[in-house]
Amino acid sequence: MSENPVDPGQPAAPPPPPPQDHHQSGVAAQERQWAMFAHLAAILGAILTSGIGGWGTFLGPLIIWLVKKESMPFVDDQAKEALNFNITVAIVWVVLWLLVFTFVGIIIAVPGFLITGIAWLVLTIIAAIKANDGIAYRYPFSWRLVK
């Protein structure tokens, strides 16, 4: 047993564990962070551009996917997931906008916009949190258009 140089009567404390690059999920910290950014980029895109259902919501996930798909498999998966979900929401919003031009459509479209918008925000935040935890999140209502 080695002696503690500060207090010669005490044994030395064990060395700290080496820093770990991987989370308990087995996904590297940098990959988890980029995957989280892929989901959150949709919210940023909605703020900076035309809102939910607009082109800005899928531009961020698309850029992250194109840049990181070859080097980070977890980011590839999660960015595609975010991209597909935001394209799906954009399609739903286009249909709702088309319904606005009919009398009955207004009754359907207004609550549809509200429900879709809240669901989009909640599911995007959940996806970002899961991705940061290293868990591959699957949106419940999403067409897998980008494979």
Side-chain angles (χ1 to χ4, degrees), residues 107-139:
I107 297 169
I108 296 169
V110 172
F113 283 127
L114 184 64
I115 291 167
T116 307
I118 291 170
W120 171 83
L121 182 61
V122 169
L123 292 172
T124 301
I125 292 170
I126 290 170
I129 291 169
K130 295 287 188 181
N132 194 44
D133 287 340
I135 299 168
Y137 184 76
R138 295 287 171 256
Y139 288 96

Side-chain angles (χ1 to χ4, degrees), residues 17-133:
Q20 294 193 359
D21 186 39
H22 283 77
H23 188 257
Q24 65 229 20
S25 65
V27 179
Q30 190 175 16
E31 279 194 77
R32 289 184 287 117
Q33 190 174 33
W34 276 105
M36 178 184 68
F37 290 157
H39 294 289
L40 294 178
I43 295 174
L44 182 63
I47 292 169
L48 295 177
T49 62
S50 58
I52 301 168
W55 61 271
T57 59
F58 52 85
L59 188 60
L62 174 64
I63 292 170
I64 291 173
W65 177 62
L66 290 173
V67 170
K68 298 292 182 180
K69 69 181 179 178
E70 299 297 325
S71 60
M72 298 181 171
F74 185 66
V75 178
D76 174 42
D77 176 64
Q78 289 302 288
K80 276 193 293 193
E81 189 67 21
L83 181 59
N84 283 324
F85 178 66
N86 285 288
I87 291 171
T88 302
V89 171
I91 291 169
V92 168
W93 275 52
V94 166
V95 170
L96 289 172
W97 272 113
L98 293 174
L99 286 173
V100 165
F101 297 108
T102 67
F103 176 71
V104 176
I106 291 174
I107 297 169
I108 296 169
V110 172
F113 283 127
L114 184 64
I115 291 167
T116 307
I118 291 170
W120 171 83
L121 182 61
V122 169
L123 292 172
T124 301
I125 292 170
I126 290 170
I129 291 169
K130 295 287 188 181
N132 194 44
D133 287 340

